[in-house]
Amino acid sequence: MAPVAENGASEQQQEAPQDVQNGPAAAQQQQEALKPVKRYRRAELDEEEERQRQLLLEDGEDDYEEYVPLKKRRQKEEQERLARLGRVPQPTSSADTGGTGRSTDDEQEVDRRQKESLLVLKAKQLQEAPPETEQERQLKEEADIMRQVTQKAALKTYKELAKDIKYTQAINTGWRPPLKYRLMSDDEHQKVRDQFYIICEGHNLPPPIPNFSDMKFPPAILRVLEGKGIKRPTPIQMQATPAILAGRDIIGIAFTGSGKTLVFSLPMIMAALQEEVRMPVQRGEGPVGLIVCPSRELARQTFDIVLEYAEALKEDGHPELRTLLAIGGVDMKTQADQVRNQGIHMVVATPGRLKDMLTKRRMTLDICRYLCLDEADRMVDLGFEEDIREVLSFFKGQRQMLMFSATMPAKIKSFAESALVDPVTVNVGRAGATNLDIIQEVEYVKEEAKLVYLLECLQKTAPPVLIFAENKKDVDMIHEFLLVKGVEAVAVHGSKDQEEREWAIQSFKAGQKDVLIATDVASKGLDFEGIQHVVNFDMPEEIENYVHRIGRTGRKGKTGIATTFINKNQSEHILLDLKHLLKEAKQRIPPVLQALHDPMEELAEMEAISGTKGCAYCGGLGHRVTDCPKLRADTREQTRKQQDRFGGTGGGFGAEM
Ligand SMILES: Nc1ncnc2c1ncn2[C@@H]1O[C@H](COP(=O)(O)OP(=O)(O)OP(=O)(O)O)[C@@H](O)[C@H]1O
């Protein structure tokens, strides 16, 4: 007897007596219903499956693939393999052989293979595979290295990490491009990008807008821009400003002097204004927007710019926007009082002081929704990564995050991407490329002849001139020498106190001093008016620093000269990087660099296959990541730090025992 369905049948049986009263047809239907519902037997199920399959095929689903058990699949594959080798495959199952059993070598081979573990099979496969070429091996090695160096904890708050909070949409600012841009097609927007060499990545790209008034800035801001002779946006401003105004997270890469500061400062001012109008910032509150810079000098410069635009807005009757400069070397109490007494809208800070103020509860990021890391890669290089991570943990909700620099090696880019929500990358020129408005001259000068030759070099152009040296000691030595020779010179480096640093920069900016001698502290982001000539008293150890140093000239479309002294004290690596930069910028390559053996010439093919030019770690064009001196130095430094943490090289747990 067929099995009875447990629920369905019994319910139908209960309802039956009422329905029988409704005539013969109904009675017959009822009889059917009264039949016990049977469970399908296996054979019937197979028939049913076959029927469904036929139906699917009739419906045009002709990509149906019959399920074949793994064992059968392996046998089939093996037969095909043997057939390819020219050996006649034998039937393998007892069914196929008519129950004669397995007798041939091939069958035994198949049997043995089926019993082999996946690991053994994989090892055999590898043995059978064609040998790896040297290029393939190196590319794999490079990929491994990059995977290791980019595997860092994501830039997120502790709460976001703990609760696995992921933001998927950009912040809604309410800003939209004017209608005429919204009516334009994507192709039309792309034409504008192509015209200005703007390379953009990301979803739903906002349009490039080639004038400031269409970005909907208030008249006060347009007036200040015009007063500074800033009439048309530069390519990075054209594309990145609308994207930021629309609330998007951004990685902005453009050559030195291309106007990146305005790209992130103006939208921050607009965000602060919007917030103040919506709900005025009270005592103890703020900031709404935050810009973090790697040096005090750069923070002050950005702060001054923000102040100027905020003042102009106030003059035009907009609410007051208060801005705080939070940098080391200045009394923290004054900075904290400003927050406590009035509340602030915007902060421009260096990472150390910012972290201090937050941990000491002198300021919160409770209402902060805008964060920009200027010279982001340099900040990570300078060891501020952990400070930034800590600062981030003070945010209470989603923030719009922006990262800018002229150099952005792949390792930083992928690290940055971990923090950004649906980001837009705006690239104008290759990251790490030099500004083409700079004439780069490289001269071989013996160490002992450098000072004398420097004096001669200063004759190349009129002041102001900037001189860079790697070491503080050299900066002091050059400074003294020039003062003795009657040159109006000032000097800046990290060991000078804050007052001295500020005075030197201000007097040089104001044109009271002709020459500024500095370590790399002054190389990133500082915007000095009309520098004609940058002299590199030595070649920096990292090629990115060279790009930033010489980028102090050739700004605002003016041409500048950069002279770099090299000699045998420089490593071949950095000289090769330099040679490639000069080549890329179509500059004269001096014979001493021409003569260098260049391994990259042999690796040109690999560059084409991998699509990565030069080193993915530091951005140098003269070597690959497998040969990167910076990576080696960073690894050494990391090991040293780890050893320190565990009690020094000879100490640690071992020493305690
Ligand atoms: N659209 C513009 N037209 C003309 N000048 C501009 C424009 N935008 C900015 N500037 C001016 O160009 C100079 C360089 O700008 P900024 O310092 O922002 O460059 P940057 O890209 O940040 O350079 P760096 O990479 O060296 O930091 C500034 O003096 C600024 O006032």
Side-chain angles (χ1 to χ4, degrees):
M1 198 183 120
V4 177
E6 283 122 28
N7 294 329
S10 57
E11 277 168 22
Q12 282 162 351
Q13 280 165 343
Q14 279 166 16
E15 285 168 9
Q18 295 158 19
D19 291 344
V20 174
Q21 295 160 13
N22 291 342
Q28 199 186 343
Q29 260 182 16
Q30 219 34 67
Q31 287 298 325
E32 288 294 316
L34 277 171
K35 278 185 191 163
V37 178
K38 59 177 182 179
R39 281 197 184 128
Y40 288 112
R41 286 195 210 114
R42 184 66 242 162
E44 283 165 324
L45 264 181
D46 288 347
E47 271 171 32
E48 180 61 19
E49 276 171 10
E50 183 54 27
R51 201 174 60 78
Q52 295 288 347
R53 192 169 79 85
Q54 286 306 325
L55 277 176
L56 276 176
L57 288 176
E58 279 161 22
D59 280 352
E61 298 266 353
D62 51 4
D63 54 352
Y64 171 83
E65 266 186 43
E66 188 181 358
Y67 172 74
V68 182
L70 183 67
K71 193 174 165 190
K72 267 194 185 173
R73 263 195 340 255
R74 285 230 176 112
Q75 283 172 351
K76 194 162 165 253
E77 278 168 19
E78 191 55 30
Q79 283 174 2
E80 282 168 4
R81 194 184 71 83
L82 290 172
R84 275 199 304 277
L85 291 173
R87 293 156 76 176
V88 183
Q90 299 295 317
T92 51
S93 72
S94 56
D96 293 339
T97 55
T100 53
R102 301 168 190 167
S103 55
T104 65
D105 290 351
D106 289 340
E107 264 178 46
Q108 283 163 12
E109 165 75 3
V110 172
D111 200 30
R112 189 179 54 73
R113 278 183 160 255
Q114 281 168 8
K115 284 179 187 151
E116 276 169 349
S117 76
L118 285 175
L119 279 177
V120 174
L121 282 176
K122 178 75 189 164
K124 284 196 173 162
Q125 250 177 25
L126 285 175
Q127 270 178 2
E128 285 166 13
E132 208 174 39
T133 65
E134 180 54 22
Q135 281 176 349
E136 283 167 344
R137 192 199 55 73
Q138 195 165 341
L139 283 174
K140 260 192 198 161
E141 196 183 332
E142 289 188 1
D144 278 350
I145 294 175
M146 289 312 292
R147 213 171 299 124
Q148 279 169 25
V149 295
T150 50
Q151 266 177 7
K152 299 187 176 186
L155 268 182
K156 289 183 164 190
T157 72
Y158 298 138
K159 186 174 145 198
E160 286 159 6
L161 284 173
K163 297 198 170 176
D164 198 23
I165 297 175
K166 287 191 186 98
Y167 304 109
T168 51
Q169 282 187 338
I171 279 189
N172 183 7
T173 58
W175 183 95
R176 287 203 304 169
L179 186 65
K180 66 176 172 188
Y181 295 94
R182 282 185 269 139
L183 292 177
M184 281 164 72
S185 68
D186 283 350
D187 281 351
E188 285 173 293
H189 294 316
Q190 192 52 44
K191 261 191 199 141
V192 179
R193 290 186 196 111
D194 292 344
Q195 189 189 344
F196 292 99
Y197 303 100
I198 302 168
I199 298 164
C200 235
E201 281 168 40
H203 298 117
N204 210 355
L205 297 175
I209 298 187
N211 68 69
F212 286 111
S213 55
D214 282 350
M215 295 182 199
K216 304 186 186 169
F217 287 120
I221 288 187
L222 297 177
R223 207 175 50 241
V224 181
L225 285 171
E226 207 159 311
K228 288 174 174 288
I230 300 177
K231 295 192 179 83
R232 298 179 63 81
T234 60
I236 184 81
Q237 291 168 346
M238 235 178 249
Q239 178 63 75
T241 318
I244 301 173
L245 288 168
R248 298 292 295 268
D249 282 7
I250 284 267
I251 296 181
I253 304 160
F255 51 87
T256 52
S258 57
K260 294 187 285 293
T261 316
L262 282 182
V263 179
F264 52 79
S265 299
L266 295 182
M268 176 176 75
I269 296 169
M270 296 311 294
L273 186 61
Q274 191 183 37
E275 186 63 27
E276 176 64 20
V277 171
R278 202 174 64 85
M279 188 184 286
V281 170
Q282 305 285 322
R283 296 178 59 197
E285 279 185 347
V288 178
L290 173 61
I291 296 173
V292 190
C293 310
S295 75
R296 295 168 188 178
E297 283 74 16
L298 181 55
R300 178 170 288 285
Q301 178 181 288
T302 306
F303 169 75
D304 288 341
I305 291 169
V306 174
L307 268 194
E308 196 175 353
Y309 289 95
E311 289 279 315
L313 284 171
K314 194 176 157 200
E315 276 167 25
D316 265 20
H318 292 283
E320 180 187 32
L321 299 178
R322 294 175 292 277
T323 314
L324 173 73
L325 176 65
I327 57 173
V330 179
D331 176 30
M332 194 201 292
K333 188 175 172 303
T334 327
Q335 296 170 354
D337 283 350
Q338 211 178 329
V339 184
R340 205 183 51 224
N341 298 338
Q342 296 179 291
I344 34 148
H345 299 83
M346 296 171 281
V347 169
V348 184
T350 46
R353 173 54 57 93
L354 176 65
K355 191 188 85 175
D356 257 17
M357 288 189 72
L358 290 169
T359 44
K360 290 180 180 151
R361 295 175 180 277
R362 306 282 159 87
M363 187 168 84
T364 72
L365 295 180
D366 294 2
I367 62 165
C368 194
R369 67 164 183 81
Y370 186 100
L371 170 65
C372 173
L373 305 182
D374 189 14
E375 311 286 350
D377 59 327
R378 316 307 301 148
M379 236 158 351
V380 172
D381 265 354
L382 291 169
F384 289 131
E385 193 184 320
E386 273 319 302
D387 287 344
I388 305 262
R389 220 177 272 286
E390 263 187 69
V391 165
L392 226 84
S393 69
F394 286 89
F395 278 87
K396 287 280 153 42
Q398 187 178 354
R399 60 266 146 201
Q400 184 179 3
M401 198 154 168
L402 327 165
M403 300 199 189
F404 278 86
S405 191
T407 50
M408 192 76 77
K411 67 154 186 158
I412 306 290
K413 217 175 143 223
S414 55
F415 159 71
E417 276 162 358
S418 74
L420 307 183
V421 179
D422 192 18
V424 177
T425 304
V426 184
N427 219 324
V428 182
R430 185 186 68 83
T434 52
N435 181 338
L436 295 180
D437 290 332
I438 308 167
I439 300 163
Q440 301 177 55
E441 295 179 353
V442 176
E443 315 214 9
Y444 189 93
V445 189
K446 282 187 182 161
E447 203 59 38
E448 56 278 15
K450 273 181 170 180
L451 275 179
V452 179
Y453 189 62
L454 178 67
L455 262 189
E456 204 177 303
C457 243
L458 290 183
Q459 310 300 321
K460 272 193 194 175
T461 65
V465 175
L466 247 170
I467 302 170
F468 284 109
E470 280 283 269
N471 305 316
K472 298 170 193 169
K473 227 171 61 203
D474 285 344
V475 168
D476 287 337
M477 178 190 71
I478 300 166
H479 187 201
E480 275 170 36
F481 175 76
L482 292 183
L483 287 179
V484 170
K485 295 291 173 190
V487 178
E488 287 288 345
V490 279
V492 174
H493 57 63
S495 295
K496 294 200 178 265
D497 68 39
Q498 187 57 24
E499 226 172 282
E500 232 180 318
R501 278 164 72 159
E502 275 179 19
W503 173 79
I505 299 268
Q506 285 318 317
S507 51
F508 182 64
K509 273 194 168 177
Q512 293 152 0
K513 299 288 172 186
D514 293 334
V515 176
L516 172 70
I517 311 127
T519 52
D520 281 300
V521 76
S523 74
K524 281 136 218 155
L526 284 193
D527 182 41
F528 301 105
E529 187 71 30
I531 299 276
Q532 310 249 17
H533 189 189
V534 170
V535 183
N536 286 319
F537 191 75
D538 46 31
M539 182 66 199
E541 273 167 26
E542 288 167 21
I543 198 70
E544 294 146 286
N545 285 352
Y546 173 82
V547 174
H548 284 275
R549 280 183 181 187
I550 68 166
R552 298 315 98 202
T553 187
R555 297 168 82 82
K556 290 203 210 181
K558 288 184 192 155
T559 309
I561 302 176
T563 307
T564 304
F565 298 172
I566 56 167
N567 57 35
K568 61 179 172 36
N569 290 346
Q570 263 76 54
S571 75
E572 199 162 299
H573 271 113
I574 193 73
L575 294 182
L576 276 171
D577 286 347
L578 177 61
K579 178 179 169 180
H580 279 267
L581 265 193
L582 294 174
K583 217 190 234 176
E584 184 187 50
K586 299 195 170 42
Q587 302 287 311
R588 192 185 80 88
I589 301 173
V592 61
L593 293 186
Q594 297 267 24
L596 286 176
H597 167 72
D598 191 349
M600 292 308 270
E601 278 163 14
E602 290 142 33
L603 296 174
E605 202 185 319
M606 207 165 92
E607 212 165 79
I609 303 171
S610 68
T612 321
K613 246 183 150 188
C615 174
Y617 186 76
C618 77
L621 294 179
H623 64 275
R624 304 286 300 179
V625 67
T626 38
D627 209 11
C628 176
K630 185 175 178 190
L631 175 59
R632 276 201 292 272
D634 286 357
T635 314
R636 265 198 309 274
E637 178 63 12
Q638 245 174 7
T639 317
R640 192 190 58 74
K641 276 188 186 157
Q642 270 163 7
Q643 281 169 346
D644 281 356
R645 216 175 298 146
F646 288 105
T649 31
F653 298 122
E656 277 172 27
M657 280 163 71

